[in-house]
C-alpha cells in the first residue's frame, strides 16, 4: 500500500490540484480497491479492502464532497472522509461531514413508513406500505387539482439539499405550493441584497481579499462553514485583515483582527458611518459609482431641481448621511469611534479587494434587519468591489444550476397562504404565519408535506403549530418526509423515512468561492451494488429497511396522480430516452450531465467515460471559466443581435425590449448589467417607494424592536440573542449523530459577569428567562464572550419527546410532559433527561450527558418584519434567578398573548391591495417558486 502525495494528482479538470496541505489521499484510479490496514488488528498487518465512492454531505447547505469507504467484506459503509477533488471543500470537512456515518448507523432511525392510529399526536403508529402511502396522497392531490383547489397542496421544506428538483415537480402539478423555512432564516438578508442588485445572496472572494468584514459568525459556524472558512484563513495568510461584527465572541470573531461587539440592531448605523467616512475622505471608487449606480434615478426623483450630475449626487450623499458620524454610530453600537474610523479607512484602502458577508444574525434578529445587508452592500458598491477578484459577487455568478429536460411552465395560481396581501415585498413565503392564516379561515390544506422541516420545534410559537397540525379541518392529510423522528413528525398522519446524505441523489451547487461547480450526491450503496453487477431499480433496494429517496418518491407519486397522462403531468416524469416509459432517476441526471453542463461531456470523453460515469466517479465538476466566467459579469457587452428591436432610455441608459429591461448603456456601450429594473445597482429603490415605503427608498437605519433605549438591565431587562449556531450541530438534525452530541449537548444562557453579578447568579445556576409570551428555565454560563446587557442561547438544543422510546432521538431528547391548563396556557416539564439506553450500538449505553438543553423557541411570539417578512428573532427578556418551583427545562407559554403579538406586528404592514395595476408583488422580484406573470395580477 503506497499513498501518493496529493500534489502529484491531476484534478478532473486537467489542472494540478491546488490543495496544498492534505498530506495524502487515495488517488481515484485506486478508489475501486483501496487497501488500509485494520487498526484493530495492530500490531498485525491485516489488510482491509475498500471501494471508495464520492457523494455530497447533507448536513448543511454547503454541499461539501465526501468519500464513502465501503468495506468490501461487509458491503457496509465504514467511514466518510473528504473528497479532495471537490472544488468547494477540497478534501476538508467540518465535524458534521464524517458524522454522516452516525446517521447511517443510528439505531434510532425510522426504517419503515408509519401511519398514525387514533388521534393526531396520540403517539400510536402502525407500519404501512409505500403503495398505500402513494395511493392515499395521489388521490388527495389529484382531487385537489381536478377541482381547482391548486392552493391546497403544499410542500414545506427545511433543508432542500437540491437545486430545482421540487420546483420542477410542483410546476408539473401546476400548484403554487412551495413553502420554505426561509423566513426564520435568511429572507431579511436576502431582501437587502436583492433590492440592490437583483440577486439575493452574496458570494465573497475571501481568498483574494485585502480586507474582510463579516457581520455575524455564520460563515464559520453555519452558512458555508467549511468552504468559506478555509478561504477566509487563506486570505488572512496572504495578509488580509478580518473584522467580525458580532455581540458574541464566536469562533469566527476569535480569529479576527477586529472583534466588534455591537449592540444588536445597531449594525446599519455603524456601516453607514463607515460609508460616510469613505465618502468624506474620498476613498470611494468614483468611476465604478458613476458607471454602475442608478444615481440618475435618485437625483431625478428626489432632487429634480438640482443639477443632474454625478458630482451633485455625491454632495447629496454627504448631506443624506451627515448624521451618521462616528460619534452617532458609537453611541448606537457601543463601539469606539476610533475603531469605526480605522476600519472604514481600511475598507476604503482595500478598494476592489474588499470582501463582505452577512447572513442571518443581525439581519434575522432585528426589525428592519434587511437594512443591515443593504448597508453592507453599500460599502461594496462604494469600493467598487462587486464581483471583482477579492470582492463580493452575486451568488448567481458563482453558482451553476443546470436545466433538466422538459421544464414545466409556471403555474397560473397564486397562493395567498404563502404571499398574502399584507407582505407584497416578502422575500420568501410567510411561512411562520401559516397557523394564523389557517385559523383565520384564509384557506386549508388538502395535502401537506413537511420535508426535513420541524416547525413545531424550530419556529416561533411552536404551540400554534401543534394546534394547526392537530386540526384535521385545517390540515386534512400530512406526511413528514424525514430520516428521523421530530417533534413535527409526531403530529403527522404519515412518517415517511427518507435517506440520509449518502442514501439519495441530489444535484447541488453553492457559491462557495469565485468559481462555478456542481456536486452530485449519490446513494453510495446503490452505486456500489450496481458497480458489482447487482441490479438495482430503486434506491430503497440498497438502503436499509424501506428507506426511500425523495426523487423516486415524487416520480412514483406523479404517475399515480396522473396515471393516463390526461392531466398533462405524467409527461414530465417519462423517460427522455424511452418515450412513454417511467423516468428512472439515473435517466434524469444522465440527461442533465449530457446536455446542460458546459465542459462536462468533453472532460468525461478525455477519460473515456460518459458524463454520468464521470459524475459517478468524481462526484463533482467545476465548470471551466472559459465556458462560464465568474467575475464582473455585469460588464458583459451585449451583442448586436441581442439589441435588435430594443429601446434606449436616455437618462439612465436602460435598454428595454417589449417593456422588459435587457441591459444598460454606459458611455455609449451596451452591457448586460444587473437583474434590477434599472439594470444598475439600485442605491435608489423606486420599488420600495412605489410599494408603500418611501422613507426606505435609499439605504438607511431602522431602529430595532430591541433598541438600546427599550432595554434597561437595571430593571432586569436584557436583549436575548437566540439565533446563534454551534459549529458542530445541524439545527434539529443532529440528534442522530452521536459524535456531534458528545461534543455539544447543552445550550446554557451566556451572561456577562457584570450582568451575572447584578442578577446574582453563577455558572450552573438556574435562571428564568421571561419573554413577552412566556418563560423558560435554563442554566447560566458566565462569560466575557458576550457584551454586557446582552444574553444569548444557542438554538440547536432542547429536543423533546412525549413517549419513552420514540418521538425524538434518545441521544438528544428529554422525555417531557406537555399540556394545556384550563386557561389554555401551555406547560412543559422534563420528566426524564437524556439517559443511556440499550441498542445495537454499544455507545448508547455510554451516554454521559444528561441535560440535553432547553427548548426556548416555544416562548417566542412571531415578529414578521413588515417589509421583508422575516421573523425578527431577538427578544427583550427579563432574566432572574429561578423561582423555587422552577426546574431545568420548564417552559410556559401564554397563547393569548402570542395572538396579540401577531396582531400587533400585522398592524405594522402596509398592504397594497388597491393598486391600479392590480399587481400583488413587483414583477421583477424573485420568488423561490415563480408562478406565471399573469398570477401576479389580481383577477
Ligand atoms: S460544512 Fe456543511 S456540507 Fe461541509 S462538511 Fe460541514 S456540514 Fe457537511
Amino acid at each position: 500500500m503506497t499513498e501518493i502525495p496529493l500534489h502529484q494528482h491531476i484534478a478532473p479538470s486537467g489542472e494540478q490540484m491546488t490543495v496544498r496541505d492534505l498530506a495524502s489521499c487515495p488517488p481515484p484510479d485506486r478508489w475501486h480497491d483501496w487497501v488500509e490496514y485494520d487498526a484493530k488488528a495492530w500490531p498485525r498487518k491485516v489488510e482491509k479492502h475498500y471501494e471508495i465512492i464520492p457523494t455530497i454531505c447533507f448536513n448543511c447547505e454547503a454541499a461539501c464532497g465526501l468519500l464513502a469507504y465501503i468495506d468490501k467484506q461487509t458491503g457496509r459503509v465504514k467511514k466518510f472522509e473528504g473528497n479532495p477533488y471537490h472544488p468547494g471543500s477540497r478534501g476538508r470537512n467540518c465535524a458534521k461531514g464524517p458524522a454522516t456515518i452516525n446517521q447511517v448507523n443510528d439505531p434510532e432511525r425510522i426504517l419503515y413508513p408509519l401511519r398514525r392510529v387514533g388521534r393526531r399526536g396520540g403517539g400510536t403508529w402502525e407500519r404501512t406500505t409505500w403503495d398505500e402511502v402513494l395511493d392515499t396522497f395521489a388521490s388527495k392531490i389529484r382531487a385537489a387539482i381536478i377541482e381547482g383547489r391548486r392552493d391546497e397542496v403544499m410542500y414545506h421544506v427545511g433543508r432542500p439539499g437540491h437545486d430545482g428538483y421540487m420546483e420542477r415537480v410542483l410546476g408539473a402539478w401546476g400548484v403554487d405550493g412551495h413553502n420554505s423555512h426561509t423566513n426564520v432564516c435568511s429572507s431579511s438578508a436576502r431582501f437587502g441584497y436583492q433590492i440592490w442588485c437583483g440577486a439575493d445572496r452574496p458570494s465573497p472572494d475571501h481568498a483574494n481579499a485585502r480586507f474582510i468584514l463579516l457581520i455575524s459568525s455564520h460563515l464559520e459556524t453555519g452558512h458555508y462553514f467549511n468552504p468559506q472558512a478555509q478561504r477566509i484563513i487563506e486570505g488572512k495568510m496572504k495578509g488580509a485583515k478580518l473584522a467580525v461584527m458580532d455581540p458574541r465572541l464566536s469562533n469566527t470573531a476569535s480569529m479576527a483582527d477586529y472583534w466588534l461587539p455591537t449592540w444588536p440592531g445597531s449594525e446599519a448605523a455603524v456601516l453607514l458611518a463607515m460609508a460616510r467616512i469613505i465618502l468624506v475622505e474620498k476613498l470611494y471608487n468614483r468611476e465604478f459609482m458613476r458607471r454602475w449606480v442608478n444615481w440618475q434615478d435618485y437625483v431625478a426623483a428626489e432632487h429634480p431641481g438640482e443639477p443632474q450630475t454625478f458630482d451633485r449626487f455625491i454632495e447629496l450623499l454627504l448631506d443624506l448621511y451627515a448624521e451618521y458620524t462616528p460619534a452617532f454610530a458609537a453611541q448606537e453600537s457601543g463601539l469606539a469611534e476610533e475603531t469605526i474610523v480605522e476600519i472604514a479607512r481600511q475598507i476604503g484602502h482595500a478598494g476592489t479587494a474588499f470582501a463582505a458577508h452577512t447572513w442571518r444574525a443581525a439581519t434575522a434578529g432585528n426589525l428592519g434587519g434587511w437594512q443591515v445587508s443593504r448597508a453592507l452592500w453599500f460599502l461594496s458598491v462604494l469600493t467598487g468591489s462587486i464581483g471583482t477578484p477579492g470582492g463580493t459577487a452575486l451568488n448567481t455568478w458563482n453558482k451553476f444550476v443546470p436545466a433538466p429536460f422538459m421544464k414545466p411552465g409556471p403555474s397560473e395560481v397564486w397562493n395567498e397562504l404563502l404571499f398574502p396581501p399584507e407582505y407584497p415585498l416578502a422575500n420568501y413565503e410567510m411561512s411562520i404565519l401559516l397557523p394564523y392564516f389557517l385559523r383565520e379561515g384564509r384557506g386549508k390544506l388538502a395535502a401537506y408535506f413537511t420535508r426535513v422541516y420541524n416547525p413545531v420545534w424550530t419556529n416561533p410559537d411552536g404551540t400554534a403549530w401543534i394546534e394547526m397540525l392537530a386540526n384535521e379541518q385545517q390540515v386534512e392529510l400530512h406526511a413528514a418526509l424525514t430520516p428521523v423522528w421530530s417533534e413535527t413528525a409526531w403530529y403527522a398522519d404519515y412518517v415517511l423515512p427518507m435517506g440520509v446524505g449518502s442514501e439519495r441523489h441530489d444535484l447541488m451547487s453553492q457559491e462557495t468561492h469565485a468559481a462555478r461547480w456542481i456536486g452530485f450526491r449519490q446513494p453510495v450503496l446503490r452505486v456500489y451494488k450496481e458497480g458489482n453487477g447487482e441490479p438495482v431499480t430503486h434506491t430503497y433496494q440498497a438502503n436499509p429497511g424501506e428507506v426511500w429517496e425523495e426523487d423516486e418518491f415524487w416520480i412514483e407519486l406523479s404517475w399515480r396522480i396522473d396515471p393516463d397522462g390526461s392531466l398533462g403531468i405524467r409527461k414530465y416524469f417519462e423517460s427522455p430516452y424511452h418515450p412513454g416509459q417511467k423516468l428512472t432517476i439515473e435517466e434524469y441526471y444522465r440527461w442533465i450531465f449530457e446536455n446542460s453542463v458546459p465542459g462536462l461531456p468533453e472532460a468525461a470523453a478525455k477519460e473515456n467515460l460518459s458524463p454520468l460515469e464521470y459524475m459517478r466517479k468524481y462526484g463533482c465538476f467545476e465548470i471551466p471559466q472559459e465556458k462560464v466566467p465568474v467575475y464582473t459579469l455585469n460588464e458583459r457587452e451585449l451583442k448586436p443581435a441581442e439589441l435588435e428591436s430594443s429601446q434606449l432610455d436616455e437618462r439612465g441608459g436602460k435598454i428595454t425590449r417589449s417593456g422588459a429591461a435587457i441591459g444598460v448603456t454606459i458611455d455609449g456601450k451596451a452591457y448586460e448589467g444587473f437583474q434590477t429594473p434599472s439594470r444598475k445597482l439600485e442605491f435608489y429603490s423606486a420599488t420600495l417607494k412605489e410599494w408603500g415605503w418611501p422613507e426606505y427608498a435609499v439605504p438607511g437605519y431602522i431602529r430595532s424592536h430591541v433598541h438600546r433605549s427599550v432595554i434597561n438591565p437595571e430593571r432586569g431587562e436584557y436583549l436575548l440573542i437566540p439565533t446563534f449556531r454551534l459549529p458542530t450541530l445541524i439545527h434539529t438534525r443532529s440528534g442522530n449523530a452521536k459524535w456531534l452530541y458528545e461534543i455539544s449537548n447543552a445550550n446554557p444562557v451566556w451572561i456577562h459577569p457584570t450582568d451575572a453579578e447584578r442578577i446574582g447568579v453563577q455558572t450552573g445556576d438556574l435562571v428564568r428567562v421571561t419573554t413577552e409570551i412566556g418563560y423558560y428555565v435554563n442554566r447560566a454560563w458566565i462569560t466575557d464572550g458576550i457584551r454586557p446587557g446582552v444574553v444569548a442561547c444557542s438554538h440547536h438544543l432542547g429536543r423533546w419527546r412525549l413517549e419513552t422510546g420514540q418521538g425524538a432521538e434518545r441521544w438528544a431528547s428529554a422525555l417531557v410532559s406537555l399540556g394545556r391548563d384550563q386557561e389554555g396556557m401551555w406547560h412543559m416539564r422534563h420528566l426524564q433527561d437524556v439517559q443511556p439506553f440499550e441498542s445495537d450500538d454499544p455507545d448508547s449505553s455510554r451516554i454521559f450527558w444528561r441535560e440535553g438543553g432547553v427548548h426556548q423557541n416555544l416562548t417566542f411570539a412571531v415578529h414578521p418584519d413588515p417589509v421583508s417578512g422575516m421573523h425578527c428573532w431577538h427578544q427583550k427578556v427579563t432574566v432572574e434567578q429561578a423561582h423555587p418551583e422552577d426546574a431545568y427545562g420548564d417552559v410556559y407559554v401564554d397563547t393569548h398573548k402570542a395572538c396579540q403579538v401577531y396582531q400587533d406586528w400585522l398592524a405594522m404592514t402596509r398592504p397594497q391591495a388597491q393598486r391600479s395595476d392590480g399587481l400583488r408583488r413587483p414583477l421583477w422580484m424573485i420568488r423561490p417558486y415563480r408562478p406565471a406573470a399573469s398570477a401576479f395580477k389580481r383577477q
Side-chain angles (χ1 to χ4, degrees), residues 231-245:
R231 289 171 174 90
I232 291 170
I233 299 304
E234 219 171 288
K236 273 179 70 78
M237 287 168 72
K238 290 194 278 184
K241 290 276 186 277
L242 171 64
V244 175
M245 206 179 275

Side-chain angles (χ1 to χ4, degrees), residues 220-501:
E220 286 214 331
T221 59
H223 180 71
Y224 302 173
F225 157 44
N226 155 51
Q228 291 208 5
Q230 41 179 284
R231 289 171 174 90
I232 291 170
I233 299 304
E234 219 171 288
K236 273 179 70 78
M237 287 168 72
K238 290 194 278 184
K241 290 276 186 277
L242 171 64
V244 175
M245 206 179 275
D246 192 329
R248 194 180 62 88
L249 184 64
S250 63
N251 287 7
T252 319
S254 71
M255 303 294 286
D257 300 285
Y258 301 92
W259 175 35
L260 309 173
T262 39
W263 182 267
S266 67
E267 295 83 359
V270 176
L271 297 169
L272 292 175
M274 291 176 177
R276 181 181 161 278
I277 292 162
I278 290 170
L279 283 164
V280 169
E281 301 193 4
K282 296 190 167 44
L283 297 173
Y284 59 93
N285 188 325
R286 180 185 166 84
E287 192 57 5
F288 180 83
M289 295 266 295
R290 183 188 69 78
R291 294 177 69 229
W292 283 109
V293 172
N294 72 335
W295 56 268
Q296 294 96 333
D297 293 345
Y298 172 68
V299 182
E302 301 295 316
H303 302 278
E306 300 278 355
Q308 304 291 299
T309 63
F310 180 71
D311 286 337
R312 185 62 192 135
F313 168 65
I314 293 293
E315 289 168 3
L316 291 168
L317 279 186
L318 287 167
D319 288 347
L320 187 62
Y321 294 110
E323 69 181 283
Y324 291 94
T325 60
F328 172 72
Q331 176 200 320
E332 290 295 286
S333 66
L335 299 179
E337 285 183 47
E338 314 81 69
T339 310
I340 295 169
V341 174
E342 184 180 331
I343 291 176
R345 286 179 179 150
Q346 295 222 30
I347 291 170
H349 289 302
T352 58
F354 165 60
H357 193 280
T358 183
W359 206 244
R360 305 186 183 121
T363 54
N366 297 288
L367 175 70
W370 52 276
Q371 290 276 33
V372 177
S373 50
R374 197 181 187 198
L376 185 63
W377 192 254
F378 191 17
L379 294 180
S380 299
V381 172
L382 285 168
T383 49
S385 56
I386 306 294
T388 50
T392 308
L394 286 58
N395 68 321
T396 46
W397 297 358
N398 292 170
K399 178 179 170 91
F400 187 79
V401 182
F405 77 100
M406 271 187 80
K407 209 168 170 196
S411 83
E412 301 283 336
V413 186
W414 186 279
N415 190 341
E416 291 204 342
L417 292 174
L418 304 173
F419 287 93
E422 291 92 339
Y423 299 91
L425 302 180
N427 193 253
Y428 262 66
E429 305 92 350
M430 292 305 300
S431 171
I432 55 166
L433 299 187
L434 185 60
Y436 299 92
F437 293 162
L438 293 181
R439 196 184 294 162
E440 289 169 358
R442 297 195 191 198
K444 70 175 173 68
L445 300 177
Y448 182 52
F449 298 96
T450 49
R451 191 224 147 183
V452 194
Y453 183 51
N454 190 5
V456 167
W457 196 91
T458 304
N459 282 3
D461 198 7
T463 59
W465 284 85
I466 294 175
E467 290 168 16
M468 175 192 112
L469 294 171
N471 186 322
E472 293 182 36
Q473 276 73 51
Q474 291 175 5
V475 181
E476 293 177 356
L477 190 62
H478 171 204
L481 279 58
T482 171
V484 291
W485 277 109
S486 74
E487 288 79 352
T488 298
W490 196 250
Y491 294 95
D493 299 307
Y494 289 88
V495 180
L496 306 180
M498 296 292 173
V500 300

Side-chain angles (χ1 to χ4, degrees), residues 716 718 720 767-776 859 875-880 883 892 897:
Y718 297 91
L720 170 67
V767 288
R768 181 189 276 205
V769 179
T770 303
T771 68
E772 62 202 322
I773 66 165
Y775 67 80
Y776 64 88
T859 68
Q875 306 282 322
K876 175 182 176 179
V877 296
T878 57
V879 183
E880 59 186 323
H883 296 197
Y892 167 83
K897 285 185 180 169

